[in-house]
Amino acid sequence: MLVAAAFLPHPPVLVPEVAAGAAPELAGVREACALALQRVLAAEPDLVIVVGDDSKRSTYRAGARGSFAGFGVPVATALPGSASDGVGDGAERAGTRLPLSLAVGAWLMQRGGPWPTVRGEGVPATMGSSDAASLGKQWAASSERVALIVMGDGAATLTVKAPGYLVEGAEQWQKQVTQALADADLSALRAITPADTSTVGAAGRVAWQVAAGAADGAAEQGDRWVGELLADDAPYGVAYVVALWQRAPA
């Protein structure tokens, strides 16, 4: 059963060494990420699943390592916690390097803890919404108290200096997605299309839709989702949203 979900961005510049300094413009986002992770731990999950974009469907056990050497800094990280006995339906890749989304997630998690059983799940950006939702439902049912750490950046086309330059309509699209994350609006998240995210340069659709699938069914059990927006910033023309969903009695 899913008990909590934290939604975090994954720009490598969250790591100060990659940013060649503290990057004060990201201080609020870092603090919000730390708070979201503390709240996840406070929900007392027995299994934490970190999900983010990957080149293919892959599962990573605790201890799987990531590196930011590709950004010119000798900084390594690893998924914390203990290894899960149950792996997902992707090929297990404990000995391979974490993708960027999960490496940033692992780096953020290492600033808190201690963590219970942890595993990483990589999902390809090409996965359809129904398959993503099915994965989420499967993972939510895999343990008594499951928490998700959902890695994903929003639109990367919000200004002329953004990585994807400025795209008309990107700001309105991002406002709708941010509101959906803040309100735990499962239907709105399921409605995001691959074409939407390709147009605005967002990297989070599949992971968000996994979370929507995992969160589905709470009402049938007499519960509801309480969403909270902890950060909403775009210092480089890329939307970095931090949100939290917590399960509560209806």
Side-chain angles (χ1 to χ4, degrees):
M1 178 178 75
L2 185 71
V3 296
F7 296 83
L8 313 180
H10 56 68
V13 288
L14 277 178
V15 180
E17 292 87 345
V18 175
E25 64 273 18
L26 290 175
V29 174
R30 286 195 197 93
E31 291 173 6
C33 289
L35 177 58
L37 294 176
Q38 289 172 12
R39 298 270 188 87
V40 164
L41 283 172
E44 299 182 338
D46 53 39
L47 171 62
V48 175
I49 299 175
V50 192
V51 57
D53 280 5
D54 200 352
S55 59
K56 62 181 180 179
R57 264 294 293 126
S58 302
T59 296
Y60 302 86
R61 291 184 181 271
R65 297 183 65 79
S67 171
F68 298 99
F71 298 94
V73 295
V75 176
T77 189
L79 280 177
S82 57
S84 171
D85 290 331
V87 298
D89 57 2
E92 186 182 356
R93 299 170 70 186
T96 57
R97 184 159 292 178
L98 295 171
L100 176 63
S101 61
L102 300 188
V104 174
W107 185 87
L108 290 167
M109 292 173 73
Q110 287 183 326
R111 270 100 202 117
W115 293 92
T117 298
V118 173
R119 76 171 189 253
E121 296 285 359
V123 289
T126 54
M127 181 178 288
S129 59
S130 60
D131 288 340
S134 294
L135 272 182
K137 289 179 181 179
Q138 174 188 322
W139 297 344
S142 66
S143 193
E144 186 173 348
R145 297 184 65 81
V146 178
L148 291 180
I149 297 175
V150 186
M151 309 302 300
D153 293 345
T157 51
L158 298 178
T159 69
V160 294
K161 294 185 178 181
Y165 198 65
L166 177 65
V167 169
E168 184 178 355
E171 183 177 0
Q172 182 59 35
W173 180 89
Q174 184 58 52
K175 285 181 178 178
Q176 294 172 351
V177 170
T178 299
Q179 196 64 52
L181 293 173
D183 294 342
D185 188 336
L186 309 188
S187 296
L189 292 175
R190 288 194 197 96
I192 301 172
T193 69
D196 290 338
T197 50
S198 176
T199 297
V200 302
R205 176 191 65 85
V206 179
W208 298 333
Q209 291 177 334
V210 164
D216 199 17
E220 298 172 2
Q221 300 170 6
D223 294 335
R224 63 189 176 95
W225 289 104
V226 178
E228 183 178 1
L229 184 63
L230 300 177
D232 177 15
D233 206 351
Y236 312 121
V238 182
Y240 300 144
V241 177
V242 181
L244 181 72
W245 294 358
Q246 293 180 291
R247 197 179 185 110

